[in-house]
Each structure stands twice: as structure tokens, then as C-alpha cells.
Amino acid sequence: MSRRRIIAGNWKMNKTPSEAVELVATLKDLVKNDDVDVVYCVPAIDIVPVAEAVKGTNVHVGAENFYIEDKGAFTGEISAPMLKDAGVEYIIIGHSERRDIFGENDILINAKVKKAFASGLKPILCCGESLALRKAGTYVEWIKRQIKWDLTDVAADQVKDLVIAYEPIWAIGTGETATADQAEEVCGIIRKTIADLYDDATAEAVRIQYGGSMNAGNAAELLAKPNIDGGLIGGASLKPDFGQIVNA
Ligand code: 13P
């Protein structure tokens, strides 16, 4: 089965609204590729201007965070209906920075996955191990557990539309990329975990990205692996290099 490649930028807390519009213009001709889903996951304040700036192009808009209630007294938060109304299609959930810096746990992450699907947003669910777990050799169990917890009570027909990003924490923003073999090993284990939790057809449909210091130089080798269907790119998504990754 051939899965459609998905290359997503995670801009994190970078780019003011006017800088965001400039970046969209800089990347416009570089990211043209009808065979790839291209997504810009941008800070909340950039969503409206970016959605406007990408109109008529092949780029989809994603958000980096949201809260599970539709509206109400949740100061500082943003809801799924707000994102949908602004043109957002994808939502990053469970990024290690939200888990580690903002204390998000698997119970909240699971609730976010369910809410995203119920609201018509496509989750990009992140998982990944710390350097300590990698060194201890317990990373496989850790990743399996994250996937199982985060997908509790999520139906197979929803999981078919899920994107899972494998992001080893030790490779994020460090310049140290997992080797293509290391990334492929875990992405294969994630697919097997989906097959065990659901069935083979669901596992074949789910798209799995690698993330962690992916750049113009290493993207082609990572993306050539059979279980790696795309990338979730931080630093390099803010530069013209992103176009080379889309076309790798
Ligand atoms: P870097 O590409 O900057 O390592 O970030 C990866 C990441 O966290 C994407 O979500």
C-alpha cells in the first residue's frame, strides 16, 4: 500500500504575524509538490494570516496546541472550533516540549486526540524517548506504552487518518539526528503496535513521520525507509531548506 508523504513544519514559538507572512512568500515556489501533503503548523497568532497567505497553494495549515473544551472560562486557551473556523486542518498533539515544559500527560493527550477527531481536525500525535531511556534500552516499551495510552478508546476508522510523529527527544534541536536505521526501527515498531491494537489495514494506512534535526542533507535517506512516511521539522522548516525536504 502506498501512503501519501506528509512533510510538516513545526514553527514552535517563532515568527511574528508579519514575519510569518514573509516566510510563506519565501517558501511558496520551493514547496510546490503535488505528491506530498505540505503542512505549516504555526503559532496561534499566526494562523489567520498564514491561512490567508497560503490560499490557492498546496500548503495546509496546522496548529501547535489547543484545549479540549469548545468554549468557556479557560483563560489563554484556544478551542478546536476556533481552529477549524480559521482554516486549520492538522493539530500537533503530545509534542515532547508540551509534555516536558507544560506538564501535559497521556490522559490529557488522549483526550486531545479524541477531541481533535470529534472536531474534524487531523492529529499529528508525537511520541519519543529521552536519551536516558535510549541508553537504558527501554525505549521500545516506552514508545509502545505512549501509543497505547494516547489512543485509548480511539476507533480504527479514526486511526486510519492519524499521523504519528516519532521524535526522539535527544534528537530535537540538537543537530544529532537518529540514523535512518534507528528511525526506521522505531517507526516499524509503531506500525506493529497499531497492527496489534487494531488490525493490519489500519496499520498500513497510518502515516508515520520522523522528527528530530531533519534537514535538507539527511531527509532523503530517512524518507527512503519503508515505514517513514514523512517528517515533522522544527528548525529547518523556518528556512528555504524546507523546500528541499519537501522535494527530497
Ligand atoms: P528540530 O527539527 O528543530 O530538531 O525539531 C524537531 C521537532 O521538534 C519538530 O516537532
Side-chain angles (χ1 to χ4, degrees):
M1 176 183 185
S2 70
R3 291 174 292 270
R4 195 172 156 82
R5 187 174 283 185
I6 177 164
I7 303 291
N10 174 7
W11 290 11
K12 307 194 179 181
M13 197 173 74
N14 293 293
K15 302 296 174 190
T16 65
S18 51
E19 289 169 349
V21 170
E22 267 175 52
L23 180 59
V24 170
T26 304
L27 295 177
K28 189 173 175 206
D29 292 329
L30 305 175
V31 299
K32 276 188 186 150
N33 186 331
D34 290 339
D35 298 327
V36 177
D37 285 337
V38 179
V39 187
Y40 296 164
C41 299
V42 305
I45 199 165
D46 296 341
I47 288 170
V48 169
V50 167
E52 184 62 31
V54 301
K55 266 193 189 141
T57 75
N58 59 320
V59 175
H60 304 263
V61 181
E64 300 177 16
N65 188 33
F66 78 120
Y67 189 57
I68 52 176
E69 298 295 338
D70 283 345
K71 60 180 173 178
F74 303 100
T75 302
E77 291 299 322
I78 187 162
S79 72
M82 291 171 182
L83 296 178
K84 283 287 289 179
D85 187 62
V88 168
E89 292 175 70
Y90 291 88
I91 175 77
I92 298 175
I93 299 175
H95 193 282
S96 60
E97 287 151 17
R98 297 232 42 104
R99 293 177 191 257
D100 294 347
I101 303 170
F102 301 101
E104 291 198 12
N105 62 24
D106 290 290
I107 294 171
L108 178 61
I109 290 163
N110 173 238
K112 287 188 171 192
V113 171
K114 288 189 280 195
K115 181 67 186 179
F117 276 125
S119 308
L121 293 167
K122 295 181 188 128
I124 299 177
L125 172 65
C126 302
C127 61
E129 81 284 2
S130 64
L131 186 57
L133 290 177
R134 165 71 47 174
K135 284 188 170 157
T138 51
Y139 60 98
V140 169
E141 284 317 307
W142 174 260
I143 302 278
K144 282 187 191 168
R145 221 178 309 142
Q146 281 188 320
I147 298 291
K148 205 171 156 200
W149 282 337
D150 297 346
L151 295 182
T152 303
D153 297 330
V154 179
D157 66 327
Q158 294 179 320
V159 174
K160 282 203 301 321
D161 294 324
L162 179 68
V163 179
I164 299 177
Y166 169 54
E167 299 207 311
I169 297 168
W170 47 273
I172 295 177
T174 58
E176 186 181 348
T177 321
T179 65
D181 286 340
Q182 284 175 322
E184 169 63 13
E185 183 204 20
V186 177
C187 291
I189 287 164
I190 292 170
R191 201 175 303 286
K192 173 77 169 50
T193 304
I194 298 295
D196 292 344
L197 290 173
Y198 297 92
D199 51 60
D200 287 345
T202 306
E204 279 302 305
V206 71
R207 293 188 290 178
I208 303 176
Q209 299 174 314
Y210 168 76
S213 300
M214 196 188 248
N215 58 42
N218 59 30
E221 191 188 354
L222 288 156
L223 294 169
K225 293 293 184 185
N227 284 300
I228 302 179
D229 307 312
L232 185 57
I233 293 104
S237 71
L238 304 170
K239 300 190 284 196
D241 294 40
F242 190 67
Q244 286 169 262
I245 300 173
V246 168
N247 291 291

PDB file of all heavy atoms in Angstrom, residues 10 12 95 97 167 171-174 211-214 232-236, ligand 1:
ATOM      1  N   ASN A  10       6.984  22.398  12.047  1.00  0.00           N
ATOM      2  CA  ASN A  10       6.529  22.837  13.366  1.00  0.00           C
ATOM      3  C   ASN A  10       7.332  24.091  13.680  1.00  0.00           C
ATOM      4  O   ASN A  10       8.501  24.016  14.013  1.00  0.00           O
ATOM      5  CB  ASN A  10       6.798  21.738  14.408  1.00  0.00           C
ATOM      6  CG  ASN A  10       6.490  22.195  15.826  1.00  0.00           C
ATOM      7  OD1 ASN A  10       5.955  23.289  16.022  1.00  0.00           O
ATOM      8  ND2 ASN A  10       6.830  21.369  16.799  1.00  0.00           N
ATOM      9  N   LYS A  12       7.084  26.071  16.058  1.00  0.00           N
ATOM     10  CA  LYS A  12       7.258  26.302  17.511  1.00  0.00           C
ATOM     11  C   LYS A  12       6.977  27.768  17.845  1.00  0.00           C
ATOM     12  O   LYS A  12       6.083  28.345  17.236  1.00  0.00           O
ATOM     13  CB  LYS A  12       8.654  25.836  17.946  1.00  0.00           C
ATOM     14  CG  LYS A  12       8.924  24.380  17.508  1.00  0.00           C
ATOM     15  CD  LYS A  12      10.097  23.753  18.166  1.00  0.00           C
ATOM     16  CE  LYS A  12      10.248  22.309  17.680  1.00  0.00           C
ATOM     17  NZ  LYS A  12      11.367  21.611  18.306  1.00  0.00           N
ATOM     18  N   HIS A  95       3.492  16.819  21.728  1.00  0.00           N
ATOM     19  CA  HIS A  95       4.910  17.117  21.469  1.00  0.00           C
ATOM     20  C   HIS A  95       5.690  17.053  22.787  1.00  0.00           C
ATOM     21  O   HIS A  95       5.169  17.440  23.841  1.00  0.00           O
ATOM     22  CB  HIS A  95       5.046  18.501  20.830  1.00  0.00           C
ATOM     23  CG  HIS A  95       6.408  18.748  20.264  1.00  0.00           C
ATOM     24  ND1 HIS A  95       7.490  19.076  21.055  1.00  0.00           N
ATOM     25  CD2 HIS A  95       6.881  18.657  19.000  1.00  0.00           C
ATOM     26  CE1 HIS A  95       8.560  19.199  20.289  1.00  0.00           C
ATOM     27  NE2 HIS A  95       8.235  18.948  19.040  1.00  0.00           N
ATOM     28  N   GLU A  97       7.878  18.886  23.947  1.00  0.00           N
ATOM     29  CA  GLU A  97       8.008  20.177  24.635  1.00  0.00           C
ATOM     30  C   GLU A  97       6.753  20.477  25.457  1.00  0.00           C
ATOM     31  O   GLU A  97       6.834  21.059  26.535  1.00  0.00           O
ATOM     32  CB  GLU A  97       8.300  21.286  23.605  1.00  0.00           C
ATOM     33  CG  GLU A  97       9.734  21.178  23.099  1.00  0.00           C
ATOM     34  CD  GLU A  97       9.965  21.684  21.683  1.00  0.00           C
ATOM     35  OE1 GLU A  97       9.130  22.425  21.145  1.00  0.00           O
ATOM     36  OE2 GLU A  97      11.007  21.298  21.115  1.00  0.00           O
ATOM     37  N   GLU A 167       9.573  11.272  17.466  1.00  0.00           N
ATOM     38  CA  GLU A 167      10.569  12.304  17.701  1.00  0.00           C
ATOM     39  C   GLU A 167      11.405  11.952  18.934  1.00  0.00           C
ATOM     40  O   GLU A 167      11.005  12.272  20.069  1.00  0.00           O
ATOM     41  CB  GLU A 167       9.884  13.655  17.931  1.00  0.00           C
ATOM     42  CG  GLU A 167       9.052  14.120  16.758  1.00  0.00           C
ATOM     43  CD  GLU A 167       8.933  15.643  16.714  1.00  0.00           C
ATOM     44  OE1 GLU A 167       8.619  16.256  17.750  1.00  0.00           O
ATOM     45  OE2 GLU A 167       9.189  16.201  15.656  1.00  0.00           O
ATOM     46  N   ALA A 171      17.161  13.983  19.858  1.00  0.00           N
ATOM     47  CA  ALA A 171      17.479  14.450  18.501  1.00  0.00           C
ATOM     48  C   ALA A 171      16.807  15.783  18.170  1.00  0.00           C
ATOM     49  O   ALA A 171      17.023  16.332  17.100  1.00  0.00           O
ATOM     50  CB  ALA A 171      17.056  13.397  17.472  1.00  0.00           C
ATOM     51  N   ILE A 172      15.987  16.303  19.105  1.00  0.00           N
ATOM     52  CA  ILE A 172      15.244  17.531  18.810  1.00  0.00           C
ATOM     53  C   ILE A 172      16.102  18.751  19.085  1.00  0.00           C
ATOM     54  O   ILE A 172      16.533  18.974  20.216  1.00  0.00           O
ATOM     55  CB  ILE A 172      13.940  17.600  19.642  1.00  0.00           C
ATOM     56  CG1 ILE A 172      12.985  16.481  19.224  1.00  0.00           C
ATOM     57  CG2 ILE A 172      13.272  18.954  19.475  1.00  0.00           C
ATOM     58  CD1 ILE A 172      11.702  16.422  20.044  1.00  0.00           C
ATOM     59  N   GLY A 173      16.359  19.520  18.044  1.00  0.00           N
ATOM     60  CA  GLY A 173      17.080  20.779  18.187  1.00  0.00           C
ATOM     61  C   GLY A 173      18.534  20.621  18.591  1.00  0.00           C
ATOM     62  O   GLY A 173      19.196  21.594  18.948  1.00  0.00           O
ATOM     63  N   THR A 174      19.030  19.407  18.529  1.00  0.00           N
ATOM     64  CA  THR A 174      20.390  19.150  18.987  1.00  0.00           C
ATOM     65  C   THR A 174      21.376  19.022  17.830  1.00  0.00           C
ATOM     66  O   THR A 174      22.583  19.012  18.038  1.00  0.00           O
ATOM     67  CB  THR A 174      20.452  17.812  19.764  1.00  0.00           C
ATOM     68  OG1 THR A 174      19.978  16.768  18.896  1.00  0.00           O
ATOM     69  CG2 THR A 174      19.592  17.871  21.008  1.00  0.00           C
ATOM     70  N   GLY A 211      10.877  12.930  13.282  1.00  0.00           N
ATOM     71  CA  GLY A 211      11.210  14.313  13.595  1.00  0.00           C
ATOM     72  C   GLY A 211      12.395  14.368  14.533  1.00  0.00           C
ATOM     73  O   GLY A 211      12.519  13.531  15.440  1.00  0.00           O
ATOM     74  N   GLY A 212      13.271  15.336  14.336  1.00  0.00           N
ATOM     75  CA  GLY A 212      14.463  15.499  15.183  1.00  0.00           C
ATOM     76  C   GLY A 212      15.662  15.807  14.313  1.00  0.00           C
ATOM     77  O   GLY A 212      16.255  14.901  13.738  1.00  0.00           O
ATOM     78  N   SER A 213      15.950  17.113  14.181  1.00  0.00           N
ATOM     79  CA  SER A 213      17.095  17.564  13.372  1.00  0.00           C
ATOM     80  C   SER A 213      17.043  17.048  11.940  1.00  0.00           C
ATOM     81  O   SER A 213      18.088  16.792  11.341  1.00  0.00           O
ATOM     82  CB  SER A 213      18.419  17.194  14.048  1.00  0.00           C
ATOM     83  OG  SER A 213      18.513  17.803  15.325  1.00  0.00           O
ATOM     84  N   MET A 214      15.842  16.894  11.405  1.00  0.00           N
ATOM     85  CA  MET A 214      15.752  16.543   9.979  1.00  0.00           C
ATOM     86  C   MET A 214      16.102  17.792   9.181  1.00  0.00           C
ATOM     87  O   MET A 214      15.698  18.899   9.526  1.00  0.00           O
ATOM     88  CB  MET A 214      14.349  16.056   9.611  1.00  0.00           C
ATOM     89  CG  MET A 214      14.310  15.319   8.280  1.00  0.00           C
ATOM     90  SD  MET A 214      12.619  14.952   7.750  1.00  0.00           S
ATOM     91  CE  MET A 214      12.593  13.192   7.876  1.00  0.00           C
ATOM     92  N   LEU A 232       8.447  15.675  10.569  1.00  0.00           N
ATOM     93  CA  LEU A 232       7.965  16.815  11.348  1.00  0.00           C
ATOM     94  C   LEU A 232       9.217  17.631  11.653  1.00  0.00           C
ATOM     95  O   LEU A 232      10.100  17.173  12.387  1.00  0.00           O
ATOM     96  CB  LEU A 232       7.257  16.349  12.624  1.00  0.00           C
ATOM     97  CG  LEU A 232       6.610  17.455  13.475  1.00  0.00           C
ATOM     98  CD1 LEU A 232       5.603  18.280  12.678  1.00  0.00           C
ATOM     99  CD2 LEU A 232       5.905  16.852  14.696  1.00  0.00           C
ATOM    100  N   ILE A 233       9.278  18.812  11.063  1.00  0.00           N
ATOM    101  CA  ILE A 233      10.538  19.540  11.012  1.00  0.00           C
ATOM    102  C   ILE A 233      10.464  20.828  11.812  1.00  0.00           C
ATOM    103  O   ILE A 233       9.537  21.629  11.618  1.00  0.00           O
ATOM    104  CB  ILE A 233      10.892  19.836   9.527  1.00  0.00           C
ATOM    105  CG1 ILE A 233      11.194  18.520   8.809  1.00  0.00           C
ATOM    106  CG2 ILE A 233      12.107  20.742   9.413  1.00  0.00           C
ATOM    107  CD1 ILE A 233      10.104  18.047   7.924  1.00  0.00           C
ATOM    108  N   GLY A 234      11.394  21.016  12.717  1.00  0.00           N
ATOM    109  CA  GLY A 234      11.449  22.234  13.519  1.00  0.00           C
ATOM    110  C   GLY A 234      12.314  23.284  12.837  1.00  0.00           C
ATOM    111  O   GLY A 234      11.870  23.970  11.919  1.00  0.00           O
ATOM    112  N   GLY A 235      13.554  23.390  13.269  1.00  0.00           N
ATOM    113  CA  GLY A 235      14.455  24.450  12.801  1.00  0.00           C
ATOM    114  C   GLY A 235      14.499  24.633  11.292  1.00  0.00           C
ATOM    115  O   GLY A 235      14.410  25.769  10.783  1.00  0.00           O
ATOM    116  N   ALA A 236      14.600  23.539  10.559  1.00  0.00           N
ATOM    117  CA  ALA A 236      14.747  23.647   9.100  1.00  0.00           C
ATOM    118  C   ALA A 236      13.455  24.048   8.393  1.00  0.00           C
ATOM    119  O   ALA A 236      13.476  24.345   7.194  1.00  0.00           O
ATOM    120  CB  ALA A 236      15.276  22.325   8.528  1.00  0.00           C
TER     121      ALA A 236
HETATM  122  P1  13P B   1      14.141  20.151  15.091  1.00  0.00           P
HETATM  123  O1  13P B   1      13.878  19.815  13.641  1.00  0.00           O
HETATM  124  O2  13P B   1      14.462  21.593  15.301  1.00  0.00           O
HETATM  125  O3  13P B   1      15.098  19.204  15.727  1.00  0.00           O
HETATM  126  O4  13P B   1      12.732  19.952  15.838  1.00  0.00           O
HETATM  127  C1  13P B   1      12.034  18.770  15.665  1.00  0.00           C
HETATM  128  C2  13P B   1      10.711  18.924  16.284  1.00  0.00           C
HETATM  129  O5  13P B   1      10.582  19.002  17.500  1.00  0.00           O
HETATM  130  C3  13P B   1       9.546  19.004  15.395  1.00  0.00           C
HETATM  131  O6  13P B   1       8.353  18.891  16.103  1.00  0.00           O
END
